[in-house]
Amino acid sequence: MYNLKLKFLLTISFMTVILYGCNKDEVKDVPTNAPANQNGTQQTGDTPTDQMTFNFLEFSLDVDYSATESYEVEYEDKKSGIEAKLQDDRKNERLQGDEAYTKLEPLFKQLNFDSTTPNDEVIDQVIKVFNIEANYQSIEVDVEFVDGNEKEFTRIK
């Protein structure tokens, strides 16, 4: 009986740690200039008309410079809230949640491509906006647009 209680307590403790870790990327301090619906609450991006901040609900950028150096961005606007993460091996920078969103928001606002924009044009725009160094090996951008289209844009040198 004692072993069963111990296993139960350990399981509950472990699950609590796991669930806490899953929320570290969540943006808690959404800027006041983020769009709000008629009720005054922040929009969640459920439909294209709900999402006004950017023209995408999800954005993922992976730039490989070498086997050990990369630049990665993750952004999701979900029903449960906004999650953001930035990892830059070259600058030894790892940001999550509010810190990442604060750094990424002005960059995202400069992006003006949509699901019909050609691959090379999207990659060129991402290189310019994110100030990607020319010695990269590959770039991959995955985007879920507010219109529901999902696209992958890539360039390999």
Side-chain angles (χ1 to χ4, degrees):
M1 186 71 170
Y2 176 73
N3 281 342
L4 184 60
K5 286 182 182 179
L6 181 61
K7 286 181 183 179
F8 179 74
L9 286 173
L10 288 174
T11 302
I12 294 298
S13 299
F14 179 72
M15 292 303 292
T16 302
V17 169
I18 294 294
L19 290 174
Y20 175 76
C22 291
N23 290 329
K24 289 193 312 188
D25 298 343
E26 187 173 334
V27 176
K28 306 241 187 284
D29 187 22
V30 177
T32 55
N33 63 346
N37 63 22
Q38 288 89 1
N39 299 333
T41 58
Q42 295 297 326
Q43 295 180 355
T44 58
D46 293 339
T47 67
T49 56
D50 287 345
Q51 174 55 275
M52 302 273 224
T53 305
F54 313 119
N55 66 341
F56 49 82
L57 297 173
E58 294 184 19
F59 179 93
S60 172
L61 169 62
D62 185 11
V63 180
D64 290 324
Y65 291 103
S66 70
T68 58
E69 289 185 324
S70 66
Y71 179 87
E72 297 177 22
V73 170
E74 296 289 331
Y75 168 86
E76 289 184 31
D77 186 349
K78 306 186 285 187
K79 283 184 180 182
S80 59
I82 296 172
E83 292 184 7
K85 187 166 51 170
L86 182 143
Q87 177 181 323
D88 187 347
D89 292 334
R90 293 182 151 202
K91 293 181 181 175
N92 199 23
E93 185 175 42
R94 290 179 181 23
L95 304 175
Q96 297 178 343
D98 293 330
E99 286 182 308
Y101 185 82
T102 299
K103 186 160 186 167
L104 294 171
E105 180 189 26
L107 302 174
F108 288 158
K109 286 183 175 181
Q110 296 176 53
L111 299 173
N112 59 16
F113 59 83
D114 61 25
S115 59
T116 63
T117 307
N119 186 79
D120 286 338
E121 196 174 315
V122 171
I123 296 296
D124 290 343
Q125 198 175 126
V126 168
I127 288 171
K128 181 180 178 191
V129 168
F130 286 88
N131 209 16
I132 305 299
E133 296 175 33
N135 62 339
Y136 67 87
Q137 292 179 348
S138 67
I139 295 178
E140 181 178 319
V141 180
D142 293 313
V143 182
E144 180 184 337
F145 294 95
V146 294
D147 64 7
N149 286 318
E150 293 182 32
K151 296 279 281 217
E152 181 179 304
F153 306 93
T154 59
R155 181 178 293 166
I156 299 172
K157 281 189 165 181

